[in-house]
Each structure stands twice: as C-alpha cells, then as structure tokens.
Amino acid sequence: MTMIADAGPSLKAQAESLFKRKRLLNFGLPAVIVAYFVYIFFSFDIAGLAERASFDNARTLVADSYSYKTHVTLDDRSDSIVIAIEGERKGTYPEGMTPEWVTLTETGLVAELGRGYRVVYEGARVFFDIPGYGTLEAEPSRQGVDMVFPSGGMEDQPDWINASKNRLAVTTDAGRLTVTRTRAELFKYQFGWELFFFTLESPFHGRSFTELVGLAMSDERLVEGKSNAAAMWHDFWNNAMWRHSEVAWAIFETVLMAFLGTFGAAIVALPLAFLAARNFTPVKVLMFGVRRVFDFVRGVDALIWTIVLARAFGPGPMTGALAILLTDTGTFGKLFSETLENVDDKQIEGIQSTGAKPLQRYRFGVIPQITPVLLSQLLYYLESNTRSATIIGAITGGGIGLLLTQAIITQKDWEEVSYYIVLIVLMVMAMDTISGWLRKRLITSDDSGV
C-alpha cells in the first residue's frame, strides 16, 4: 500500500476501484446464482413436481420396455377364451395351443403364475389364489361384477385391489387380473421380446438356437419349396409382429433424409459463400443481402421448416430432407464464408501468376485450402442430422421417427419403443464410426503417414 500511495493519487484510485470490483465479483456473483436457482425452484414448481410424480407408472413403463405381457381373456358375451401376446391378433395363440404356464380344462383353464399365485377360469367365474390373502372370486355379468372376497367387504380390501360395482382390478407381482361387466382378463409379464424372431404361425417358433442351426444345415424341408435357411429368413424378415422389413426401410429413409439434406445444403451453400465472403465480393450490398439470407434460413429451426414444407408439399421423407437442406444452407453458408475469409492470399497469387483465370484461381488456389475444414464440418453435420432426421421423420411421416411416434402413442407395446430406440442409437453410432473413418481418410494429410 505504501508503494501505491507514493505512486500518486491516480494510481491509488485505480487500485481501490479494482479492489472494489473484485470484491463485488466475489460476493455478488454467488448471490446472483443463488437467486437464479431460487427463482427456478418456484417458477418451475419443483415442489409440485415431486407431488405429481408417479413412480408406480414409471416402474411399469420401464418393465414394459424389457418384458412382454400375455393376455388371457374370457369374453362373457361369446363365452370364449382368447390367449394373445400383447393382446394382438397377430400374436393370438391358435386353438388348442397355449403357453406352458396355461393348461386348458373342460370348463376353462388354469394359469399357474408362479410362487403360489394361480388363476382359474371355470365357466364364467374366475378364481384368483393369492398367497397370504386367500382366494378371490369374481364373475362378470350385465348387472355388474359379482365379487367374493376372503374377508371383509368391497371397501375393506388392500391397496393393490381396486373394486367397484362394475370393475375389479387386482395387481400383484405375479400378474394382474381385471374383471368388468363383459370380460375377465389376466395379464402376465415375462422377460424378453416374445415373437421377435418368429411368430406363432412359423414352424420355427419355440425352437432352441441349437435346433435352428441343425435345421438350417439339414436337408429336411419344413416349408415346401424352400430350404430351411431361406424359410427362416423369410419368416424373420416378414415378421408381422415386429415388422423387421418395414423397420429396415425406415432406417434407410432416415439416413437418406440426413444425407440428401446435408449434402444438398453443402452444394447450395458453397457458391453462395463466395458471395458472402468479404475478400471475394467487392459489392457490399450483395454480400450483406446474402448474409441476411443465411441468417434467415438458419434462424428458423428445422422443425418449423418441416411443418411449413409439409403443408406445402405434403408428408414424406423428401419434405424432411428439404427442411434439413434449408436450415443447413444457412449454417454452412456462414461457416464456409468465414473459412473463405481466412484463406492464404499467397497461394491465390501464385496461381494467378501462371495466367490462371478467376475460376481456375478458385479451383486450385482456394478449394484445396478450405477442403479439409469443409469436409470436417460436412461430416459432423451429417452425423448430427441423422439424429435430427428421426424427429423430423415423426412430423413428415417417414423414417424410424414415424414408427417410434406410433409406438409411443399407442401406450401399449413399449418393448417396440425400446427396440426402435436401440436401433436409433446403433444408427447414430454407425454414422459416427463411418464419418470418423471418412474424416481420417479424406482430411488427414498424406504427409502424416496415414
């Protein structure tokens, strides 16, 4: 402080001002951050979010993603029993065929759910044996659901039993039973994606991997006119439940949307970037106008362009590709023009000294300089647009995004949602690997020894 005092009043005042600003920064900034988080807590109703959260629903959703449920339905109107995977007609067991835990009887069936849980359909009446609770009886009828509990009345049952005059719902770890005025339906969850490879109609359903390998190598023909290997591929590729052929085509559409949109934008943006670069466009008004066009098309998000173009051209993958093209034209235009403004003029002058024309100077003096940067940006956006094409496809009605949205909207087959998400992740990983390989092959200099 003595040195500052001796230096004069001006230097002393500057030091005191700097000290005050530093102290304000040390104490003021944390206070602003704390105030901001307090604002978020009340503005976004964090406390109410905890109250609204339903962990039971979340647990059910997670379980649905890696398991499947079998519906065992007793229809009181037709007096028939139907057993189906996920309740779909395409997964309905043929007459006389049942899962191993279901046994048909003369009057109905017996479903052994495990750990002592058992459901018996006897005529129109349902019996549910629950360990530690007893046997619950119910029968659908037009007047309501006739219920008999082991003890107590309808209102005195545990939380996992929801009973009213017209509906009974019993939820246990072994399975769920729902009885209404017209039907009784048992839901049993099991681990895995059932019928992923072969449906119930396929002669290869239910066979072990060893059996399938043996059949593929055998001269025996389970399907007339086809080898077993060809028949297996046909049944897998045309699986009516999981629709593998449709999913593969949807993946191709998604990648195609990203490819056409990204490279189309690069083709459009590169010549326009010369007009937006200060060192290539002497007419400032033209440069200003082109830059504002770039700002406009990239300022509107690709999803907004998707909605606008879908109204103009109708749904389809090409509409999604055009939306990506519009947005990336603005982005590439800005990136390319900034790259052009940083080129080395000496190389251009060297080409010009040979008597090269303007187009030749650009071709041999400019393009080689900017190619590594342009390719790097192009490959990165191709990878990024592969993810974006998933969401855009959900709006335009194309690609894997459409299948994913349809599966989510149904709120039924969440294992299909998991399947599509896994495929999307694998698709992005594949695009990342391919773009990295291309970047290494195309951009890395030959002098590096690669």
Side-chain angles (χ1 to χ4, degrees):
M1 293 297 295
T2 304
M3 295 177 62
I4 294 176
D6 295 340
S10 176
L11 184 60
K12 181 178 180 181
Q14 292 179 9
E16 291 177 351
S17 175
L18 179 63
F19 177 75
K20 290 179 180 179
R21 287 200 299 268
K22 184 176 180 181
R23 184 172 58 181
L24 179 63
L25 183 64
N26 290 339
F27 293 98
L29 184 60
V32 171
I33 294 175
V34 171
Y36 177 69
F37 280 107
V38 170
Y39 167 77
I40 290 177
F41 182 83
F42 289 102
S43 178
F44 291 176
D45 191 17
I46 303 299
L49 179 64
E51 296 177 359
R52 295 190 301 271
S54 176
F55 295 101
D56 290 337
N57 291 340
R59 185 170 58 252
T60 301
L61 177 62
V62 172
D64 282 348
S65 66
Y66 62 80
S67 62
Y68 69 96
K69 61 181 179 293
T70 305
H71 297 226
V72 183
T73 306
L74 169 64
D75 193 326
D76 184 57
R77 293 169 298 184
S78 60
D79 195 26
S80 62
I81 296 177
V82 178
I83 306 174
I85 305 294
E86 296 295 348
E88 294 190 18
R89 289 186 177 182
K90 294 173 289 188
T92 301
Y93 280 85
E95 186 176 354
M97 182 179 178
T98 65
E100 58 182 9
W101 49 274
V102 175
T103 303
L104 295 176
T105 64
E106 294 182 358
T107 57
L109 60 79
V110 177
E112 298 287 352
L113 304 181
R115 294 175 295 171
Y117 290 88
R118 170 191 284 188
V119 174
V120 178
Y121 288 179
E122 189 171 316
R125 201 158 186 83
V126 182
F127 302 85
F128 195 171
D129 295 335
I130 304 173
Y133 176 76
T135 301
L136 187 154
E137 301 180 30
E139 182 176 353
S141 67
R142 294 183 179 180
Q143 290 73 34
V145 180
D146 179 24
M147 300 173 236
V148 178
F149 299 99
S151 60
M154 186 182 299
E155 297 80 9
D156 302 326
Q157 302 308 313
D159 294 338
W160 44 270
I161 295 180
N162 187 350
S164 64
K165 178 182 178 182
N166 296 317
R167 187 175 184 273
L168 169 67
V170 184
T171 304
T172 69
D173 294 335
R176 292 189 291 120
L177 176 68
T178 302
V179 183
T180 62
R181 300 175 62 176
T182 58
R183 62 168 54 188
E185 192 162 18
L186 170 66
F187 306 89
K188 178 176 171 59
Y189 282 84
Q190 293 173 278
F191 178 79
W193 293 349
E194 184 66 357
L195 309 182
F196 182 81
F197 293 100
F198 306 110
T199 57
L200 295 168
E201 294 80 10
S202 173
F204 306 104
H205 171 71
R207 296 179 184 269
S208 65
F209 177 75
T210 305
E211 289 179 301
L212 293 174
V213 172
L215 286 171
M217 301 176 63
S218 173
D219 293 333
E220 180 186 1
R221 296 290 184 267
L222 297 186
V223 178
E224 185 178 355
K226 292 182 180 179
S227 66
N228 288 336
M232 287 180 195
W233 174 254
H234 176 272
D235 289 356
F236 169 78
W237 191 245
N238 297 284
N239 188 316
M241 285 282 289
W242 290 88
R243 303 179 297 171
H244 298 302
S245 59
E246 297 179 29
V247 172
W249 177 254
I251 290 287
F252 173 75
E253 280 188 342
T254 301
V255 175
L256 187 62
M257 271 193 288
F259 181 85
L260 292 177
T262 305
F263 283 89
I267 293 172
V268 174
L270 182 58
L272 294 177
F274 282 91
L275 300 178
R278 291 187 177 90
N279 51 340
F280 287 95
T281 303
V283 182
K284 301 302 180 183
V285 175
L286 178 62
M287 181 190 68
F288 178 83
V290 174
R291 289 194 171 199
R292 299 294 76 80
V293 171
F294 287 158
D295 292 340
F296 172 71
V297 293
R298 82 169 185 272
V300 179
D301 191 79
L303 291 178
I304 305 300
W305 283 122
T306 302
I307 297 173
V308 173
L309 293 173
R311 294 281 294 179
F313 300 105
M318 185 55 68
T319 302
L322 289 174
I324 295 175
L325 186 149
L326 273 177
T327 304
D328 282 2
T329 294
T331 303
F332 286 154
K334 176 179 174 58
L335 294 175
F336 292 177
S337 62
E338 291 177 352
T339 304
L340 288 169
E341 290 176 352
N342 292 299
V343 297
D344 186 2
D345 293 335
K346 293 181 179 180
Q347 293 190 29
I348 304 175
E349 293 173 358
I351 298 296
Q352 185 177 3
S353 65
T354 64
K357 297 179 180 179
L359 287 179
Q360 292 174 324
R361 294 200 297 268
Y362 293 161
R363 167 64 182 83
F364 298 102
V366 178
I367 298 300
Q369 292 188 60
I370 66 175
T371 295
V373 178
L374 300 191
L375 286 177
S376 179
Q377 294 169 345
L378 189 63
L379 291 172
Y380 170 77
Y381 273 88
L382 175 61
E383 174 195 340
S384 176
N385 287 335
T386 304
R387 297 190 299 270
S388 301
T390 302
I391 306 302
I392 291 174
I395 300 175
T396 61
I400 193 66
L402 176 63
L403 297 182
L404 177 63
T405 305
Q406 289 175 342
I408 293 175
I409 290 175
T410 59
Q411 293 286 317
K412 184 177 64 171
D413 298 339
W414 282 97
E415 62 269 29
E416 288 190 13
V417 176
S418 301
Y419 175 44
Y420 300 146
I421 291 176
V422 168
L423 289 178
I424 292 170
V425 172
L426 292 176
M427 177 182 65
V428 172
M429 291 172 61
M431 293 301 297
D432 176 58
T433 303
I434 294 171
S435 64
W437 179 81
L438 288 174
R439 190 179 295 111
K440 184 177 180 181
R441 297 285 295 179
L442 299 175
I443 299 175
T444 305
S445 173
D446 294 337
D447 296 336
S448 63
V450 178

